[in-house]
């Protein structure tokens, strides 16, 4: 693999190749990391890594999680929360709002619930 990133303290032979599904590229965890030991961290965010390696963002997360890489959770900014509430009240689905804001639909759902916004099921009916 000619696209490996330099990782201090990790020999390439020490890190197994992780397959990402039939027909997908094999990605080695050390390719996703910079630094070493306790200072290991991401070179870029999961979406950028997924794009660069041609894999799903969830696959990047799974690989990093399996190898103990700490991940930060990003919530919505106050402006994004306002946008999410407005768009959801216009009838947008959680998935559509999440896609628009660049987050998972569960992030939108959690945020709406925290703000006390009544949510709908997948058929548009109010949730109990």
């Amino acid at each position: 693999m000619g696209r490996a990133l330099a990782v201090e303290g990790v020999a390439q032979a020490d890190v197994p190749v992780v397959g990402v599904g039939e027909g997908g590229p094999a990605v080695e965890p050390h390719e996703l990391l910079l630094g070493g030991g306790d200072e290991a961290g991401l070179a870029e965010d999961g979406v950028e890594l997924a794009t660069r390696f041609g894999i799903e963002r969830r696959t990047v997360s799974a690989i990093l999680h399996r190898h103990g890489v700490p991940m930060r959770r990003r919530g919505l900014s106050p402006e994004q929360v306002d946008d999410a509430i407005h768009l959801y009240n216009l009838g947008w689905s959680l998935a559509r709002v999440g896609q628009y804001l660049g987050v998972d639909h569960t992030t939108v759902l959690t945020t709406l619930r925290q703000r006390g916004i009544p949510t709908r099921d997948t058929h548009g009916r109010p949730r109990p």
Side-chain angles (χ1 to χ4, degrees), residues 67-108:
H67 292 276
V69 176
M71 309 264 282
R72 67 181 170 96
R73 303 188 92 171
R74 286 191 305 203
L76 297 174
S77 70
E79 296 81 21
Q80 288 177 312
V81 171
D82 293 341
D83 289 345
I85 292 169
H86 177 71
L87 295 171
Y88 189 74
N89 285 335
L90 287 176
W92 285 31
S93 68
L94 294 171
R96 185 174 176 198
V97 172
Q99 184 177 24
Y100 177 78
L101 296 174
V103 297
D104 193 75
H105 70 280
T106 57
T107 301
V108 177

Side-chain angles (χ1 to χ4, degrees), residues 1 8 28-29 32 37 48-49 54 56 61 64 79 88 102 107:
M1 311 205 118
E8 296 174 25
E28 297 180 27
L32 304 176
E48 291 169 346
L49 288 167
E56 291 285 326
S61 295
L64 297 174
E79 296 81 21
Y88 189 74
T107 301

